[in-house]
Amino acid sequence: MHLLKFLFATFIAVVCGLALSLSGAFLYLSPNLPSVESLRSIELQIPLRIYSSDAKLIAEFGEMRRSPIAFDDIPKNFIHALLAAEDDNFANHHGVDPGSLLRAAAQILKTGRIQTGGSTITMQVAKNFFLSSERSFSRKANEILLALQIERELTKDEILELYINKIYLGHRAYGIEAAAQIYYGKSIRQL
């Protein structure tokens, strides 16, 4: 009976300690986090485009090729393929997938180095818009807190639209519309 009481007390102490640690981390990190509301009015960097008098594109200047598109213009098959590859639990989590984070932590413990980040699409939006690519635990903690805020303030469709227009897809293409034009010479709607 004493052992059972000891185990119960230990369990309660661990849970309370974990809750206090997480609360302390939140209170320490949250004042330095940027406003998520700014994502609603963000303007993505697009190249300078020069058109002829008959509205044909002559040239583009800039290091990033990007043609932002609205969520409704994104093909549903692309969305399904993206979610299957990047974040198959996107519709069910609230910005953070604890299973993915635990899997990434287990890989770190097993191999001694970071192999996968365990990031959701929402966490990648937080990193791409607000944080650096530095691999550290403090950046990951900020990414988690921002992802939770993003999920509270934006819809899933808005999050996907931001992600799809921001991701790098090779050959200076940022976003799927630019990638479709670079790789196939067509709009994403034509593919």
Side-chain angles (χ1 to χ4, degrees):
M1 192 63 160
H2 291 297
L3 178 63
L4 192 58
K5 285 182 182 180
F6 174 75
L7 290 175
F8 181 72
T10 303
F11 174 75
I12 295 296
V14 167
V15 168
C16 289
L18 185 60
L20 284 173
S21 298
L22 291 175
S23 299
F26 174 76
L27 291 173
Y28 177 74
L29 295 172
S30 64
N32 300 326
L33 295 178
S35 168
V36 171
E37 187 60 34
S38 65
L39 285 175
R40 289 190 189 278
S41 60
I42 200 145
E43 291 191 30
L44 298 168
Q45 180 184 358
I46 58 172
L48 171 65
R49 293 186 174 109
I50 300 176
Y51 293 91
S52 65
S53 61
D54 58 345
K56 291 186 179 174
L57 181 64
I58 297 173
E60 280 187 330
F61 299 97
E63 64 183 66
M64 294 181 183
R65 294 179 180 168
R66 180 179 283 128
S67 298
I69 61 173
F71 180 79
D72 293 334
D73 295 333
I74 302 167
K76 298 300 177 215
N77 287 341
F78 178 82
I79 292 172
H80 296 307
L82 176 77
L83 293 178
E86 291 288 325
D87 188 357
D88 59 348
N89 200 23
F90 180 72
N92 301 320
H93 62 65
H94 299 287
V96 178
D97 187 358
S100 295
L101 288 176
L102 289 173
R103 184 174 57 251
Q107 287 177 345
I108 290 172
L109 292 173
K110 187 176 180 181
T111 64
R113 58 188 174 92
I114 298 173
Q115 293 180 328
T116 60
S119 293
T120 62
I121 285 178
T122 310
M123 291 169 70
Q124 291 179 52
V125 166
K127 180 181 78 171
N128 289 339
F129 282 94
F130 296 119
L131 304 171
S132 69
S133 295
E134 167 197 13
R135 288 188 166 192
S136 69
F137 290 111
S138 63
R139 194 218 22 103
K140 185 58 90 174
N142 283 329
E143 186 179 308
I144 290 169
L145 292 174
L146 280 169
L148 293 171
Q149 286 181 354
I150 289 170
E151 285 277 342
R152 278 195 305 266
E153 296 189 27
L154 301 178
T155 66
K156 294 285 190 178
D157 292 352
E158 290 172 318
I159 294 167
L160 272 175
E161 181 179 328
L162 287 168
Y163 179 76
I164 286 170
N165 283 310
K166 181 78 172 176
I167 57 174
Y168 176 67
L169 295 167
H171 295 286
R172 297 181 12 221
Y174 290 83
I176 62 164
E177 181 65 25
Q181 291 173 10
I182 288 169
Y183 292 114
Y184 300 104
K186 298 179 179 184
S187 168
I188 192 71
R189 288 178 292 285
Q190 296 173 308
L191 294 178

